[in-house]
Amino acid sequence: MQDGAEFFGAGKPYYDPAKITVPTLLVGAEWDRDTPPYMAQTLFPLLVNSPGKRYVALAEGTHSIIMERNRLKLFEAVQAFLDEAKRS
């Protein structure tokens, strides 16, 4: 609750995306109300020092897509990202 008051309540970020220096995967689901697609779309260009960054938008899913019909699309996106990092 303290972090919520100090950061979210004050409009301050928890971290600086520019300081992330590892490959980063952002996955968003079309119907996610907890972290709607605009959040990942806003964060993605701020990952200026992240090599191999990727944003994947999944159709017909919510924040719980891992338990939903399109969960295999999530698994495929994560596996492709990991496989690509392994080749690099």
Side-chain angles (χ1 to χ4, degrees), residues 9-87:
K12 292 191 277 184
Y14 281 115
Y15 61 93
D16 179 358
K19 292 183 178 180
I20 296 174
T21 59
V22 296
T24 304
L25 172 65
L26 301 178
V27 179
E30 180 180 13
W31 302 326
D32 188 339
R33 289 185 177 187
D34 296 311
T35 53
Y38 82 86
M39 290 181 161
Q41 294 163 352
T42 300
L43 177 61
F44 188 77
L46 302 177
L47 296 166
V48 294
N49 294 308
S50 174
K53 66 183 180 178
R54 181 180 298 166
Y55 171 61
V56 176
L58 300 175
E60 299 180 6
T62 70
H63 197 71
S64 301
I65 196 165
I66 197 164
M67 298 180 286
E68 297 170 354
R69 175 175 69 129
N70 284 340
R71 67 183 164 278
L72 294 180
K73 296 294 182 188
L74 171 63
F75 300 157
E76 290 168 6
V78 172
Q79 190 63 57
F81 181 76
L82 294 173
D83 289 345
E84 183 178 297
K86 193 169 32 173
R87 287 191 299 265

